[in-house]
């Protein structure tokens, strides 16, 4: 059985690490890895392959930059050519990026069955490019691997046939559990930033970085919070560029270049609180029993909000600061098994091999 996997962005490398490792241990399976190049610099791409032992891509397309339509179109054309060359039995895609949609659409047009890992997530905000990507990918996929019961229910409500939906759990929990001990041995970021309590913050979504008012409000809140509790922030290249273009400087915040997966796990385990607009980091905070404040108006991971482990604050500085105070006083129960207990990759592999790619 030949499985072609398309990845392109940092969160997909983490997810692929878990499932590629599982597939490598299965007899009769060959995985062909295609890297679109969507995230292409060393800190956003190469370091993940090196640290996590992900096989080097069989095909690196080198596609990045440009508008959503231009990027997706170039990826679609290039992936189609690779599909025609490799003739896989299954196309495997992850998440909600332009790489996801391009991989799924190219395969569907060539009648190659599509397996979508992290299917069924919905923000119900069609202004998000990620929402468009995941909805379209779900509706052309053959296997929809849902990470949560809410995601599976979303698919049913959209009329997806029951036999295409598989509730498997979240492969990001597989990765976090597998690599946690290695991060303790190999991560160096805590030594670099020095000791003491800190809040971990990240910000990269276009809804925040491309809206000047939201960007200013969020950083103003983080700067204010950092006067009493240190804020450590690995800075996404897009966010760094936006701050520079607006000549915004926040000396109170400890800004880092993007960090590898082991360093990010160390920051998660070392912090007291997470503040982010990342979907993956919201879950990873839960995996390591850290409360999370989400700098968005909605989240796909609604079970975290229901559990009291996550609170939505948008870009309102007063709400952000109030949430930090409230979370410090809140006792959160992190014992719930919301994401499959670290067996998602094995479940996905079992299903694909049982169907033989047909």
């Amino acid at each position: 059985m030949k499985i072609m996997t398309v990845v392109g962005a940092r969160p997909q490398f983490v997810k692929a690490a878990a499932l590629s490792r599982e597939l490598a241990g299965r007899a009769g399976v060959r995985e062909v890895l295609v890297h679109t190049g969507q995230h292409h610099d060393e800190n956003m791409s190469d370091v993940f392959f090196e640290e996590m032992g992900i096989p080097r891509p069989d095909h690196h397309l080198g596609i990045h930059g440009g508008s959503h339509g231009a990027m997706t179109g170039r990826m679609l054309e290039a992936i189609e050519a690779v599909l025609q060359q490799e003739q896989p039995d299954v196309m495997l895609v992850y998440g909600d990026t332009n790489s996801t949609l391009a991989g799924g659409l190219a395969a569907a047009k060539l009648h190659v069955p599509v397996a979508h890992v992290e299917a069924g997530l919905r923000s119900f905000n069609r202004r998000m490019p990620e929402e468009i990507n995941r909805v379209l990918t779900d509706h052309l996929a053959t296997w929809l691997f849902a990470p949560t019961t809410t995601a599976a229910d979303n698919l049913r409500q959209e009329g997806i046939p029951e036999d295409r939906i598989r509730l498997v759990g979240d492969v990001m929990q597989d990765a976090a559990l597998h690599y946690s001990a290695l991060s303790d041995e190999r991560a160096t970021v805590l030594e670099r930033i020095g000791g003491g309590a800190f809040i971990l913050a990240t910000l990269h979504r276009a809804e925040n970085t491309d809206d000047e008012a939201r960007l200013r409000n969020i950083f103003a809140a983080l700067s204010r919070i950092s006067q009493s509790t240190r804020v450590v922030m690995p800075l996404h290249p897009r966010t760094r560029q936006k701050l520079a273009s607006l000549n915004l400087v926040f000396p109170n915040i400890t800004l880092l270049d993007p960090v590898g997966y082991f360093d990010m796990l160390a920051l998660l385990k070392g912090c007291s609180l997470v503040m982010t607009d990342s979907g993956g980091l919201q879950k990873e905070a839960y995996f390591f029993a850290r409360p999370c404040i989400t700098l968005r108006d909605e989240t796909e991971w609604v079970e975290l909000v229901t559990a009291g482990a996550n609170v939505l604050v948008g870009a309102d500085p007063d709400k952000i600061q109030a949430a930090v105070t409230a979370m410090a006083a809140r006792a959160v129960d992190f014992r719930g098994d919301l994401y499959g207990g670290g067996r998602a990759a094995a479940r996905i592999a079992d299903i694909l091999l049982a169907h033989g790619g047909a």
Side-chain angles (χ1 to χ4, degrees):
M1 181 185 198
K2 183 188 283 190
I3 298 174
M4 179 183 289
T5 297
V6 170
V7 296
R10 175 182 174 129
Q12 293 168 329
F13 307 147
V14 177
K15 297 163 192 169
L19 188 46
S20 292
R21 187 177 65 253
E22 183 67 34
L23 293 174
R26 301 296 182 106
V29 176
R30 181 190 167 204
E31 183 180 26
V32 175
L33 190 62
V34 179
H35 186 342
T36 64
Q38 185 169 340
H39 284 174
H40 60 281
D41 65 28
E42 182 178 357
N43 287 338
M44 297 292 285
S45 176
D46 293 353
V47 67
F48 284 79
F49 284 82
E50 293 163 6
E51 285 185 342
M52 304 179 78
I54 305 171
R56 283 291 165 183
D58 300 278
H59 302 269
H60 198 303
L61 306 182
I63 298 170
H64 53 84
S67 67
H68 284 289
M71 181 192 293
T72 307
R74 288 157 59 207
M75 289 177 180
L76 180 62
E77 181 179 14
I79 293 169
E80 181 181 65
V82 178
L83 279 163
Q84 290 170 329
Q85 173 187 339
E86 293 286 355
Q87 296 290 308
D89 300 298
V90 174
M91 168 65 84
L92 181 62
V93 294
Y94 294 89
D96 55 18
T97 70
N98 292 336
S99 301
T100 309
L101 178 58
L105 187 56
K109 284 179 173 291
L110 292 175
H111 311 295
V112 176
V114 175
H116 186 200
V117 176
E118 207 175 74
L121 298 189
R122 296 293 182 267
S123 68
F124 303 101
N125 177 3
R126 290 293 179 95
R127 293 184 62 84
M128 292 175 58
E130 296 90 348
E131 185 82 348
I132 302 300
N133 290 340
R134 57 189 167 224
V135 170
L136 293 176
T137 304
D138 281 342
H139 282 267
L140 55 79
T142 301
W143 295 280
L144 295 101
F145 294 118
T148 66
T149 55
T150 299
D153 288 341
N154 287 337
L155 295 171
R156 295 184 184 102
Q157 290 167 10
E158 292 177 11
I160 301 289
E162 190 68 33
D163 62 356
R164 289 164 56 190
I165 301 168
R166 297 289 188 273
L167 177 60
V168 295
D170 197 313
V171 291
M172 287 194 77
Q173 186 172 29
D174 295 30
L177 294 175
H178 179 79
Y179 290 105
S180 179
L182 280 175
S183 77
D184 293 340
E185 297 173 8
R186 301 182 186 178
T188 61
V189 68
L190 296 181
E191 290 78 8
R192 298 201 307 271
I193 67 172
F198 66 92
I199 292 170
L200 173 62
T202 73
L203 194 79
H204 77 280
R205 287 193 180 270
E207 66 197 78
N208 287 324
T209 62
D210 294 355
D211 185 319
E212 181 177 343
R214 289 181 70 96
L215 187 67
R216 287 181 180 273
N217 283 342
I218 289 170
F219 270 90
L222 294 176
S223 183
R224 192 187 313 164
I225 291 162
S226 69
Q227 294 174 12
S228 56
T229 304
R230 186 181 186 191
V231 175
V232 174
M233 190 173 201
L235 203 57
H236 192 284
R238 176 196 295 130
T239 312
R240 187 179 292 279
Q241 291 168 5
K242 292 294 183 179
L243 292 176
S245 69
L246 296 170
N247 198 29
L248 293 176
V249 179
F250 298 94
N252 292 339
I253 302 172
T254 302
L255 299 179
L256 307 176
D257 288 332
V259 299
Y261 187 59
F262 291 167
D263 277 343
M264 182 56 80
L265 291 184
L267 289 170
L268 274 165
K269 290 185 280 188
C271 74
S272 60
L273 174 71
V274 174
M275 303 177 70
T276 189
D277 61 1
S278 162
L281 204 56
Q282 293 175 52
K283 295 176 296 176
E284 288 169 323
Y286 186 83
F287 301 158
F288 294 106
R290 296 297 182 267
C292 182
I293 294 170
T294 296
L295 304 167
R296 291 174 54 196
D297 299 316
E298 67 281 309
T299 181
E300 300 77 19
W301 305 104
V302 293
E303 62 282 348
L304 294 173
V305 177
T306 301
N310 190 357
V311 62
L312 298 171
V313 295
D316 185 307
D318 293 332
K319 283 187 177 180
I320 294 171
Q321 189 150 25
V324 171
T325 302
M327 276 298 196
R330 178 183 296 177
V332 180
D333 186 353
F334 291 99
R335 293 173 298 175
D337 181 10
L338 303 179
Y339 297 106
R343 292 282 299 159
R347 295 182 185 112
I348 292 169
D350 286 346
I351 292 166
L352 292 178
L353 267 65
H355 287 80

